[in-house]
Amino acid sequence: MEDAFLQTEGLSVGYGGVPVITGIDFAAHSGKVLTLIGPNGAGKSTILKTLIRQLSPVGGTVYLGGRDMAAMPALDMARSTAAVLTGRPAPELMSCGDVVATGRYPYTGRLGILSAEDRRIVAESMELVQVSELRDRDFERISDGQRQRVLLARAICQEPKLLIMDEPTSFLDIRHKLDFLHLLRRLVREKGIAAVLSLHELDLAQRFADTVLCVSGGRVDRVGTPEEIFQGDYVARLYGVEHGGYDALFGGVECEKVAGTPEVFVIGGGGGGIPVYRKLQRERVPFAAGVLQRSDLDYPVASALAAELFTVPPFAPVEGPALDAALARASRCSRVVCAVPAFGPLNEGNRAILDDARRRGVLEENAAQRFP
Amino acid sequence: MEQKRRIRSAVCFAALGAALLALLALNLAIGTARLPLREVWNILLRREGDNAAIVWGIRLPRLLTAALLGGALAVSGFLLQTFFGNPIAGPFVLGISSSAKLVVALVMVASLARGAAVSSLGMVVAAFCGAMLSMGLILLASRRLKSMALLIVCGVMIGYICSAVTDIVVTFASDSNIVNLHNWSLGSFSGKEWRDVGMEAVIVLAALLGAFLLSKPMGAYQLGEGYARSMGVNIRRFRAELIALTGVLSACVTAFAGPISFVGIAVPHLMKQMFRTAKPILMVPACFLGGGVFCLLCDLIARTLFAPTELSISSVTAVFGVPVVLWMLLARQKRKEGV
């Protein structure tokens, strides 16, 4: 594409001439968010540090706006690329306004005195990131969420075309993570900045990235849209998840299933079974679940956690051999939990399991979720 | 707020200027021979009178030395604190003063043994070599030791070794030179000639200008090396410049007045609290003025408290400096605990 601001060609990154990751080819486009994901120690930070010239590349080339980055003067580089780094800087006696104003560094003169124009841009950046009211507060005495915003304002104030961020959401709680990423995506679009960041939160990467770059095992394993990356069990394999699973569709994790002969049978469906499955897993009780359509909301969790699962095809009524097998299994369980509040045309078959359990006096009704 | 800050800075600078002038006057007037201010003023203007020799020959060079070298110490402390991102870094704590002292003592003894006196410039060069030596050791250690506390311990150890070796050198120096060497190694602003003052002024003011011109990258560096680099600071060059300036400043102090403790930590801290900022563009001149004021006050006390016996300047600076440093450490701890 034409608007790729950042382009790497056969880039190898590492420390002291020893490559950690080789053959890195990707492009970051203006107005888009590119997210690096991958296990700890895979080298996400190493790539990012190379892109801001904190490390020199072991091999290959990085192009910024068509220019070879290695040959760019420090000042040109600083005018095109800004960074939000990991760690918590603790400058003594600096107000948030002072911290943001350091972003004007590449534009001020020998003594770094701000012009009226510089001051206007500082104020504007703080306004955009909604930290104007923090201007006179001590930077060391604000919350983690506020600090990341102030550092983002600092980077914006540098008027970059490329914004590099190393795990900017690490210290934030879920609300501040969402706020930060919403803000980032808005800024990136409005200002036409190409953003490259690493994230540990896969669910957020899936929702906020335009492009996802997967780093693992010394190479860039895949590059693609979130839709391409987050499907099937690819992500679980990327991270080498052994205990449990990662659900690519919802971006959720499940623990490892409890194997063994089922002691409990759960009549699930429509999402009602999910809390029951998780509770039984926590209590290390092997259980069977069914009968579910493979299109049911319960299905991904049940298939991850149930020792035995009885299913029928998507949108098909509960009947036939699956129901017979489920009935046989339920009759041998010492407890049957009914997690659905109602039966309809598709799951009417499950009523037979319920009736049998009630007759045997082992039924527990646990329909926590009421359907709207 | 911007307005308020500017007013605060202006008031602080004015106060420092006034304190400096007052202490200059007091230092000229007070001493073994007590002179009325009017007489001092007349002597300064006309350079004549019964006591002209005292004012022009003894007191003026001494107080200028105290002001210049005090300022140099405070500025070099501020530079080191910025460099290491640590508020208790200073030329004395990191062993820089002590190793400068050691090399100067060695050079002095060696040349006196051959019957030649060391020139002031020779002393400065020797002190600079010594300062760079321990600075090099500290930098090597800082690659390995990520903890600032360990780095400081390392500096203190270097300081002890250097002081011990200096003592040995002094012990074995020929008798006639011991008194001279011993006095110098305790630290004092006395016995300066106008030629020395001229050289001090040239070196210190040049280094001060250099430090002032580095205030922009220093400001960026306060956010950490990573951010400084991403803003376009040439880190390698900046660090080299900062180290060289620190070395020149502390070497000049050590060569002319011997090792002087705690000024480098206490004064920058006092200035930061007074100005409520750590911006280098304000702190470099403020530390210079503040260091001058601090050392003039300490020298006045050293000269007059038990007159005619003079105290060593280091004992006075330590008495005033240590409480400031302790206060600072406690205040920081409190802030970290979020009180």
Side-chain angles (χ1 to χ4, degrees):
Chain A
M1 264 204 272
E2 298 235 321
D3 61 344
F5 182 74
L6 167 80
Q7 183 101 41
T8 68
E9 246 178 50
L11 179 69
S12 300
V13 300
Y15 296 88
V18 182
V20 174
I21 304 166
T22 52
I24 306 165
D25 290 290
F26 71 95
H29 301 277
S30 302
K32 304 274 182 195
V33 176
L34 183 140
T35 300
L36 273 61
I37 64 168
N40 283 334
K44 301 186 291 291
S45 291
T46 316
I47 295 178
L48 295 178
K49 278 181 187 159
T50 308
L51 296 180
I52 53 172
R53 292 210 302 203
Q54 206 117 314
L55 292 171
S56 30
V58 178
T61 320
V62 179
Y63 294 101
L64 285 184
R67 295 168 69 189
D68 181 354
M69 188 181 82
M72 277 171 81
L75 206 62
D76 288 10
M77 176 86 190
R79 284 180 181 174
S80 70
T81 306
V84 175
L85 306 172
T86 48
R88 312 173 176 203
E92 219 184 339
L93 291 172
M94 255 176 145
S95 71
C96 296
D98 290 340
V99 171
V100 175
T102 61
R104 297 306 296 163
Y105 186 94
Y107 303 93
T108 53
R110 188 82 181 84
L111 290 177
I113 293 165
L114 299 177
S115 66
E117 174 70 359
D118 290 322
R119 283 180 200 287
R120 191 185 62 73
I121 295 170
V122 170
E124 191 188 279
S125 309
M126 295 190 85
E127 189 67 38
L128 271 175
V129 183
Q130 296 148 25
V131 288
S132 298
E133 74 283 359
L134 296 178
R135 207 184 70 165
D136 300 322
R137 292 270 298 279
D138 186 343
F139 182 70
E140 286 185 282
R141 293 195 198 188
I142 56 175
S143 73
D144 289 341
Q146 290 169 329
R147 188 177 45 234
Q148 285 310 83
R149 277 165 177 266
V150 169
L151 289 173
L152 180 61
R154 193 209 67 79
I156 294 297
C157 161
Q158 211 171 321
E159 300 185 306
K161 297 185 183 67
L162 174 66
L163 180 56
I164 307 281
M165 288 180 285
D166 199 353
E167 291 176 14
T169 56
S170 289
F171 298 122
L172 309 185
D173 64 28
I174 184 65
R175 188 200 127 192
H176 288 105
K177 280 184 208 286
L178 288 172
D179 283 356
F180 185 86
L181 290 170
H182 269 297
L183 182 68
L184 175 70
R185 193 158 66 175
R186 207 192 73 216
L187 283 174
V188 160
R189 286 197 186 145
E190 279 174 12
K191 302 219 153 214
I193 297 170
V196 177
L197 64 149
S198 59
L199 280 183
H200 264 309
E201 301 86 355
L202 298 176
D203 48 340
L204 297 179
Q206 185 177 9
R207 286 159 177 78
F208 286 93
D210 295 298
T211 312
V212 178
L213 187 138
C214 310
V215 188
S216 180
R219 63 203 177 92
V220 173
D221 202 53
R222 274 192 198 181
V223 186
T225 62
E227 291 73 28
E228 289 162 350
I229 301 295
F230 292 93
Q231 56 168 314
D233 62 349
Y234 172 70
V235 173
R237 275 191 288 123
L238 176 72
Y239 280 83
V241 177
E242 285 171 0
H243 303 279
Y246 181 82
D247 180 62
L249 202 56
F250 292 107
V253 288
E254 291 305 339
C255 296
E256 203 173 16
K257 70 172 66 173
V258 183
T261 313
E263 296 164 20
V264 180
F265 191 96
V266 183
I267 303 169
I274 294 175
V276 183
Y277 307 144
R278 289 187 178 148
K279 181 159 183 283
L280 289 167
Q281 195 281 336
R282 275 201 311 279
E283 291 165 355
R284 315 297 297 163
V285 178
F287 65 90
V291 177
L292 298 173
Q293 285 88 20
R294 288 196 282 278
S295 53
D296 195 276
L297 197 54
D298 271 13
Y299 177 72
V301 184
S303 64
L305 298 182
E308 205 175 340
L309 179 62
F310 303 93
T311 62
V312 291
F315 308 111
V318 170
E319 60 191 11
L323 180 58
D324 296 339
L327 266 167
R329 166 54 68 200
S331 67
R332 275 174 306 192
C333 287
S334 54
R335 285 161 67 198
V336 172
V337 179
C338 180
V340 287
F343 292 99
L346 285 182
N347 69 343
E348 190 57 37
N350 283 337
R351 199 188 287 274
I353 306 173
L354 180 87
D355 289 341
D356 178 60
R358 188 172 285 147
R359 240 188 339 268
R360 294 196 294 125
V362 294
L363 180 71
E364 291 170 29
E365 300 216 39
N366 188 355
Q369 186 192 344
R370 298 279 156 201
F371 294 110
Chain B
M1 186 69 192
E2 204 57 44
Q3 193 69 23
K4 253 191 191 166
R5 274 193 189 179
R6 249 178 234 169
I7 293 170
R8 181 172 198 121
S9 303
V11 169
C12 288
F13 274 122
L16 282 175
L20 192 68
L21 285 179
L23 278 162
L24 287 173
L26 282 176
N27 264 302
L28 283 175
I30 300 175
T32 325
R34 202 173 269 263
L35 308 177
L37 279 176
R38 180 169 292 276
E39 192 186 340
V40 170
W41 184 243
N42 283 335
I43 292 173
L44 278 183
L45 285 183
R46 299 200 198 99
R47 239 184 146 154
E48 60 192 22
D50 297 338
N51 294 313
I54 297 181
V55 171
W56 279 91
I58 299 171
R59 290 193 187 165
L60 206 49
R62 177 169 183 154
L63 69 87
L64 286 176
T65 295
L68 280 168
L69 299 187
L73 271 174
V75 172
S76 76
F78 178 71
L79 298 184
L80 283 170
Q81 284 148 27
T82 305
F83 185 89
F84 287 108
N86 185 333
I88 60 168
F92 195 79
V93 168
L94 290 175
I96 296 169
S97 300
S98 306
S99 73
K101 171 173 106 167
L102 171 61
V103 175
V104 171
L106 285 173
V107 169
M108 265 169 107
V109 168
S111 63
L112 285 172
R114 274 194 247 117
V118 192
S119 69
S120 303
L121 188 63
M123 298 261 281
V124 174
V125 171
F128 183 73
C129 293
M132 286 294 113
L133 198 72
S134 66
M135 196 75 193
L137 282 175
I138 292 283
L139 286 177
L140 271 183
S142 75
R143 285 193 176 178
R144 291 278 175 88
L145 303 175
K146 291 292 165 216
S147 149
M148 275 300 149
L150 281 176
L151 200 66
I152 297 288
V153 171
C154 189
V156 170
M157 293 301 143
I158 293 177
Y160 275 124
I161 294 175
C162 291
S163 293
V165 178
T166 310
D167 284 347
I168 295 172
V169 171
V170 170
T171 310
F172 288 100
S174 62
D175 291 338
S176 57
N177 302 318
I178 284 184
V179 180
N180 203 0
L181 200 55
H182 187 70
N183 280 345
W184 170 81
S185 77
L186 285 177
S188 168
F189 292 128
S190 68
K192 293 290 158 253
E193 291 169 22
W194 277 101
R195 240 186 6 179
D196 296 331
V197 175
M199 188 175 288
E200 285 159 14
V202 168
I203 296 174
V204 170
L205 294 178
L208 182 72
L209 182 68
F212 188 70
L213 290 176
L214 275 188
S215 49
K216 182 183 172 184
M218 268 196 272
Y221 201 79
Q222 283 172 333
L223 271 187
E225 191 187 319
Y227 279 108
R229 196 190 294 268
S230 84
M231 287 178 233
V233 179
N234 182 340
I235 295 291
R236 198 180 282 251
R237 206 180 88 190
F238 168 70
R239 292 179 71 135
E241 285 168 343
L242 205 62
I243 291 168
L245 283 175
T246 313
V248 167
L249 285 170
S250 38
C252 183
V253 175
T254 309
F256 286 108
I260 296 170
S261 54
F262 291 105
V263 180
I265 309 176
V267 173
H269 176 66
L270 288 171
M271 292 303 118
K272 282 177 202 162
Q273 295 307 319
M274 196 170 147
F275 283 74
R276 301 294 319 154
T277 179
K279 270 189 190 157
I281 198 163
L282 293 172
M283 278 302 106
V284 170
C287 285
F288 184 72
L289 288 175
V293 168
F294 190 85
C295 283
L296 281 174
L297 179 66
C298 289
D299 194 40
L300 187 67
I301 293 168
R303 282 196 303 127
T304 55
L305 191 61
F306 295 111
T309 309
E310 252 189 45
L311 301 172
S312 84
I313 184 70
S314 253
S315 37
V316 184
T317 55
V319 166
F320 284 97
V322 170
V324 173
V325 175
L326 286 177
W327 163 52
M328 165 180 76
L329 289 177
L330 289 176
R332 284 180 70 85
Q333 192 61 36
K334 237 186 198 172
R335 246 155 55 110
K336 263 191 196 147
E337 282 160 8
V339 177

